[in-house]
Amino acid sequence: MFEKNEILNWDENDWKKKAFVNFTEDLTGKNPKFPCIFGTSGYQKNELRFDFFQRIDIESIKLLGQSLIEYLKIAKKLGSYTSFVAFFNIETNKDVEEYEKDFWQVLNMLHRIDESPWPEDISKDTNNPQWEFSFGGEPIFVVCNTPAHKLRKSRSASTFMITFQPRWVFDEIGLLTPKGEKSKKIVRELLKKYDDIPEYPYLGSYGDPENKEWLQYFISETNEVSNIEKCPFHQLLNQNSMELEQVKYVSGKNISLEQAVFELLPETGSVEVQRDTPLREHKTHTHPTNETLLIIEGEITFYAENQKIPCKSGDRILLPANTKHSSIAGPNGCLYIIALEFVDPKIEKVGARI
């Protein structure tokens, strides 16, 4: 973790220095003025802290987690406008959707390595107005900037960048006071001048009945959200905290083996990786514990509880203990992982009746 004066003394050819200089130029530019007056104040007061990561993988996320913990320990001493900014040295030619996938992967992986319990006063339901991403026992508002953002310049950066701002900062600067409301109006007016796209319709205030915090974390280049009910953040729950009574399924996007293992790795420290050859069939059987299956490559069809459930890469299926089920792989086979006693609360029962 570094402060700005350290970074400014680094070699000009270092990617970290270049990313930081670009960030500084955006934040302190005058024409047009950067909309987030709170971030600008934090930079000028030297209340921001920074760190840099070479990639998005398990080791990098562990390092990010360590830096976040170090930052959270000193954040209140830094001041009321503090934030932690993480820069990643990944591809800069991705599209917005690919970066969005990277962003939620980072939050999900961070959540998976978090050793602190979820704060009791923060909802675990992402659609609850009292939900906020939390790490190290602290609720944190998160913002992502990417090189793919062109029209929404307020979310643009020279490299993939994530800003973490503790929830208490918003209380410190009094956003719910008359002074705070005035500041928000200033930010909104600056946004209109800064971005080449109309104001994002899902900007809101924490706790407002209609607000969903996660919709503000990663904002696209359009003002549309494909599914405002389905947050890509996966809260991990222990089986003891949630009953699983029926087969459940959720569709998903392509996922790598490493990411899938990291997301579903249970506290016991192991998962099963299985590859079925083309059209391989598993006859009807049961298991004594709940199972989560996450598809990596290929296709597979599950049969359970009089349902026929086709699955592709990124899809998950949850099987309650002792459920009779069978499966058959697709024409190209299927690679998937199996985790025991993992429950994902963001799933709905679906499937075509046989």
Side-chain angles (χ1 to χ4, degrees), residues 234-262:
H234 301 296
Q235 176 80 38
L236 301 185
L237 296 178
N238 186 284
Q239 167 59 19
N240 294 330
S241 66
M242 179 180 178
E243 291 227 7
L244 181 60
E245 299 177 347
Q246 59 189 9
V247 174
K248 296 185 178 182
Y249 159 92
V250 64
S251 62
K253 298 179 180 179
N254 290 342
I255 189 170
S256 69
L257 178 60
E258 180 183 51
Q259 179 189 351
V261 169
F262 197 71

Side-chain angles (χ1 to χ4, degrees), residues 287-304:
H287 298 286
T289 59
N290 294 345
E291 285 192 351
T292 295
L293 298 96
L294 178 51
I295 314 306
I296 311 302
E297 297 175 0
E299 297 177 347
I300 190 170
T301 300
F302 288 93
Y303 299 86

Side-chain angles (χ1 to χ4, degrees), residues 145-294:
N145 292 59
T146 82
H149 282 80
K150 306 299 182 184
L151 298 176
R152 202 178 301 279
K153 296 176 182 177
S154 57
R155 292 298 178 108
S156 179
S158 64
T159 191
F160 184 70
M161 183 183 90
I162 302 178
T163 301
F164 299 84
Q165 191 164 41
R167 177 80 250 158
W168 58 260
V169 166
F170 297 91
D171 298 326
E172 290 276 327
I173 59 183
L175 279 188
L176 298 180
T177 66
K179 181 181 178 182
E181 289 297 328
K182 183 178 179 180
S183 296
K184 282 196 290 186
K185 288 181 180 179
I186 293 174
V187 171
R188 297 289 176 85
E189 288 301 315
L190 290 173
L191 268 175
K192 292 178 182 178
K193 298 176 182 179
Y194 200 82
D195 288 344
D196 294 332
I197 186 174
E199 182 179 280
Y200 184 63
Y202 299 102
L203 295 178
S205 298
Y206 181 76
D208 284 354
E210 300 302 317
N211 183 56
K212 296 179 182 180
E213 285 286 281
W214 67 271
L215 288 173
Q216 303 175 73
Y217 284 12
F218 191 101
I219 301 180
S220 182
E221 280 280 79
T222 72
N223 282 333
E224 298 177 0
V225 177
S226 59
N227 189 342
I228 63 172
E229 300 298 326
K230 184 180 176 183
C231 177
F233 177 73
H234 301 296
Q235 176 80 38
L236 301 185
L237 296 178
N238 186 284
Q239 167 59 19
N240 294 330
S241 66
M242 179 180 178
E243 291 227 7
L244 181 60
E245 299 177 347
Q246 59 189 9
V247 174
K248 296 185 178 182
Y249 159 92
V250 64
S251 62
K253 298 179 180 179
N254 290 342
I255 189 170
S256 69
L257 178 60
E258 180 183 51
Q259 179 189 351
V261 169
F262 197 71
E263 280 191 16
L264 293 193
L265 195 64
E267 296 304 322
T268 53
S270 64
V271 293
E272 176 183 337
V273 180
Q274 183 156 320
R275 183 183 293 278
D276 287 355
T277 53
L279 302 179
R280 179 179 178 182
E281 182 177 0
H282 292 277
K283 300 293 185 180
T284 300
H285 62 286
T286 64
H287 298 286
T289 59
N290 294 345
E291 285 192 351
T292 295
L293 298 96
L294 178 51

